[in-house]
């Protein structure tokens, strides 16, 4: 185990906390104290809950469920539309404070980061006290709470920050692994996915401690070489990955919609696919990226998934391009009558190269340019006025 000191800072219920902090500053009631959630249009069955308050959680409301379902569980639920402009400003503000404690800060997502505090002993001799100071300062200056995990590497710091929430500092040092990490369910080990966790449970590996007791060879035979090696090392708290100052670019983008009512006809399915294509391509454009590969996944009401993907000759960030490919893939996947409960579009093989390949088809570049300008105009309106402020005529 190395002798580094790493912090992982994670905003508690970020989207809801940021909206609540803004409202409190305006003299409005605190959303965190009442059943509330961040979501879309309550009248649209494609709208989902993206964040919820602790009081809302007591009603059984979960992230990812439809807004209409959440309202049935709690008719008094306050649903606020997402405001991504606000989220980016809040993210930048708390990252700025973190960078005052160390120059080496790696933004891991919009609401979390790693901080390398190694060598900062002259300024902060007690890392736990420094973590408390950082946590309290973010709350005092910005109005929202964070959890801070402290450990000797990124893995253990991340695991520590996921302990009891909100507004906490937790440590996970090497000598604390048996008591604090090994009793946890195996599915809570960072980067162990649902399928791997289920496979491990079926082989009587139910806790991280059970995982640590297995040999690396047996885990490779069970999970494959790469996943098995990771599971073995992670269960022992081994992680040499550095904290890099750059925010690691997303390698793919995807968006799923779980439907309140099963889809039973092509027109409804493709209308929902259009909404998904608009949403996921807007996220990609915001990140300055384009994709060479479009994938579609469908799930029927028996929870059977089917997926297809297609490689493109030219990388695109245009919603209509992505939608047309998605429709073709959907037609290949669906039998036309089995009820569907989930639709997903994924964009991968991402590039951020500013040089774009020109088409050999006459007029194609002009057509793309018009579509791109239309997307940019929609993005600007949605950015300013929020979700649902503009829709395509077909929707």
């Amino acid at each position: 185990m190395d002798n580094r000191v790493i912090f992982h800072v994670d905003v508690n219920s970020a989207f809801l906390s940021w909206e609540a902090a803004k409202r409190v500053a305006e003299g409005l009631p605190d959303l965190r104290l009442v059943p509330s959630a961040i979501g879309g249009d309550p009248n649209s069955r494609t709208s989902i809950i993206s964040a919820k308050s602790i009081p809302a959680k007591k009603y059984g409301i979960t992230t990812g469920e439809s807004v209409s379902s959440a309202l049935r569980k709690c008719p008094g639920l306050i649903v606020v539309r997402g405001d991504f402009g606000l989220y980016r400003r809040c993210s930048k503000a708390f990252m700025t404070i973190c960078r005052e404690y160390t120059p080496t800060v790696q933004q891991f997502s919009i609401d979390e980061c790693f901080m390398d505090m190694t060598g900062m002993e002259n300024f902060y001799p007690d890392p736990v006290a420094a973590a408390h100071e950082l946590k309290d300062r973010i709350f005092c200056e910005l109005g929202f709470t964070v959890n801070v995990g402290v450990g000797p590497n990124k893995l253990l710091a991340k695991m520590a920050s996921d302990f009891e929430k909100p507004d906490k500092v937790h440590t996970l040092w090497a000598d604390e692994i048996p008591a604090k990490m090994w009793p946890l369910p195996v599915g809570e080990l960072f980067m162990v996915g649902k399928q791997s966790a289920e496979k491990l449970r079926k082989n009587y590996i139910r806790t991280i401690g059970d995982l640590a007791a297995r040999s690396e060879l047996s885990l490779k035979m069970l999970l494959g070489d790469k996943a098995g090696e990771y599971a073995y090392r992670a269960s022992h708290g081994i992680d040499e990955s550095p904290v890099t100052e750059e925010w690691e670019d997303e390698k793919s983008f995807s968006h799923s919609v779980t439907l309140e009512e099963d889809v039973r006809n092509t027109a409804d399915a493709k209308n929902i696919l259009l909404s998904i294509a608009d949403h996921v391509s807007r996220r990609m454009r915001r990140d300055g990226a384009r994709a060479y590969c479009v994938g579609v996944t469908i799930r029927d009401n028996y929870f059977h998934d089917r997926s297809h993907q297609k490689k493109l000759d030219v990388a695109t960030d245009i919603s209509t391009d992505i939608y047309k490919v998605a429709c073709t893939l959907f037609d290949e996947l669906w039998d036309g009558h089995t009820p569907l409960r989930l639709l997903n579009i994924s964009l991968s093989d991402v590039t951020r190269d500013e040089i774009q390949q020109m088409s050999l088809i006459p007029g194609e570049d002009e057509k793309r340019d018009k579509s791109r300008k239309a997307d940019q105009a929609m993005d600007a309106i949605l950015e300013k006025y929020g979700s649902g402020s503009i829709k395509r005529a077909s929707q």
Side-chain angles (χ1 to χ4, degrees):
M1 187 68 65
D2 53 28
N3 294 315
R4 294 183 295 165
V5 178
I6 308 298
F7 288 4
H8 179 260
V9 186
D10 187 10
V11 180
N12 302 134
S13 300
F15 292 173
L16 188 128
S17 291
W18 289 337
E19 181 66 38
K22 183 194 79 170
R23 292 181 173 225
V24 168
E26 294 171 349
L28 298 173
D30 192 336
L31 291 174
R32 291 164 291 195
L33 304 179
V34 297
S36 62
I38 302 298
D41 182 358
N43 298 316
S44 172
R45 68 181 182 181
T46 61
S47 296
I48 61 171
I49 300 296
S50 57
K52 76 281 184 188
S53 66
I54 291 175
K57 188 176 180 180
K58 294 178 181 177
Y59 284 86
I61 294 168
T62 59
T63 300
E65 77 171 297
S66 67
V67 171
S68 54
S69 171
L71 286 169
R72 284 198 297 271
K73 293 177 180 177
C74 177
L77 182 72
I78 299 172
V79 181
V80 180
R81 292 177 184 270
D83 182 348
F84 286 94
L86 170 67
Y87 304 157
R88 285 197 297 276
R89 292 192 297 274
C90 290
S91 175
K92 183 177 179 180
F94 102 84
M95 295 291 172
T96 297
I97 292 177
C98 290
R99 289 190 176 94
E100 293 182 19
Y101 287 75
T102 174
T104 310
V105 176
Q106 178 184 347
Q107 185 167 358
F108 191 59
S109 70
I110 194 171
D111 61 347
E112 57 184 323
C113 68
F114 291 102
M115 302 169 57
D116 193 340
M117 298 293 288
T118 311
M120 304 299 288
E121 295 86 357
N122 289 339
F123 300 99
Y124 309 105
D126 182 346
V128 176
H132 277 282
E133 178 188 317
L134 171 65
K135 174 184 73 69
D136 295 343
R137 184 178 165 195
I138 289 172
F139 177 70
C140 289
E141 295 185 18
L142 303 179
F144 54 85
T145 64
V146 300
N147 263 38
V148 184
V150 183
N153 56 45
K154 291 165 69 175
L155 167 70
L156 295 181
K158 169 66 176 173
M159 292 292 296
S161 71
D162 285 335
F163 293 161
E164 183 191 2
K165 297 181 179 182
D167 197 28
K168 304 288 185 183
V169 171
H170 298 286
T171 63
L172 186 51
W173 303 109
D175 59 357
E176 296 177 311
I177 290 174
K180 290 186 176 182
M181 191 171 82
W182 282 353
L184 297 175
V186 70
E188 292 189 20
L189 182 61
F190 181 51
M191 295 297 288
V192 170
K194 290 183 179 179
Q195 290 185 345
S196 293
E198 183 60 29
K199 185 179 290 186
L200 291 168
R201 284 191 289 267
K202 287 180 178 178
N203 284 270
Y204 306 102
I205 301 173
R206 297 186 174 89
T207 68
I208 300 175
D210 294 338
L211 189 65
R214 296 294 184 99
S215 69
E216 183 174 352
L217 178 60
S218 68
L219 293 175
K220 285 183 176 180
M221 292 176 64
L222 181 61
L223 301 174
D225 286 349
K226 188 173 181 180
E229 179 185 5
Y230 173 80
Y232 176 80
R233 291 171 61 83
S235 67
H236 288 86
I238 301 170
D239 175 25
E240 289 100 12
S241 62
V243 177
T244 58
E245 294 182 42
E246 295 80 16
W247 182 1
E248 294 182 355
D249 291 328
E250 290 192 66
K251 303 297 188 296
S252 64
F253 300 81
S254 69
H255 185 64
S256 300
V257 169
T258 301
L259 305 159
E260 179 187 358
E261 298 177 7
D262 292 339
V263 167
R264 298 174 184 271
N265 66 74
T266 300
D268 284 347
K270 290 188 175 179
N271 196 32
I272 295 166
L273 280 175
L274 180 55
S275 295
I276 297 173
D278 276 333
H279 182 94
V280 72
S281 60
R282 186 164 69 248
R283 281 179 49 213
M284 187 171 63
R285 287 191 295 271
R286 188 186 299 132
D287 202 41
R290 289 171 288 120
Y292 277 103
C293 185
V294 178
V296 169
T297 298
I298 64 174
R299 178 179 299 160
D300 63 28
N301 59 354
Y302 297 104
F303 292 90
H304 297 146
D305 288 0
R306 297 188 66 200
S307 301
H308 276 184
Q309 63 181 27
K310 181 179 180 180
K311 282 277 196 177
L312 309 179
D313 295 328
V314 178
T316 187
D317 62 357
I318 298 172
S319 297
T320 52
D321 288 353
I322 293 165
Y323 170 65
K324 288 175 183 177
V325 176
C327 286
T328 300
L329 294 171
F330 175 80
D331 289 338
E332 295 171 359
L333 285 169
W334 193 39
D335 60 13
H337 59 82
T338 303
L340 300 177
R341 62 180 298 114
L342 177 142
L343 297 172
N344 166 277
I345 295 177
S346 60
L347 307 176
S348 57
D349 197 0
V350 168
T351 179
R352 291 170 174 79
D353 189 348
E354 294 184 3
I355 300 174
Q356 299 186 31
Q357 182 177 332
M358 296 183 67
S359 175
L360 299 177
I361 302 173
E364 187 67 20
D365 289 325
E366 291 81 359
K367 183 179 178 182
R368 278 188 197 160
D369 190 50
K370 287 180 66 176
S371 296
R372 185 171 288 108
K373 287 179 179 177
D375 283 340
Q376 290 170 348
M378 284 187 66
D379 292 348
I381 292 170
L382 290 165
E383 181 75 25
K384 185 172 183 180
Y385 297 107
S387 174
S389 56
I390 185 171
K391 292 184 179 180
R392 296 180 185 273
S394 60
Q395 296 177 297

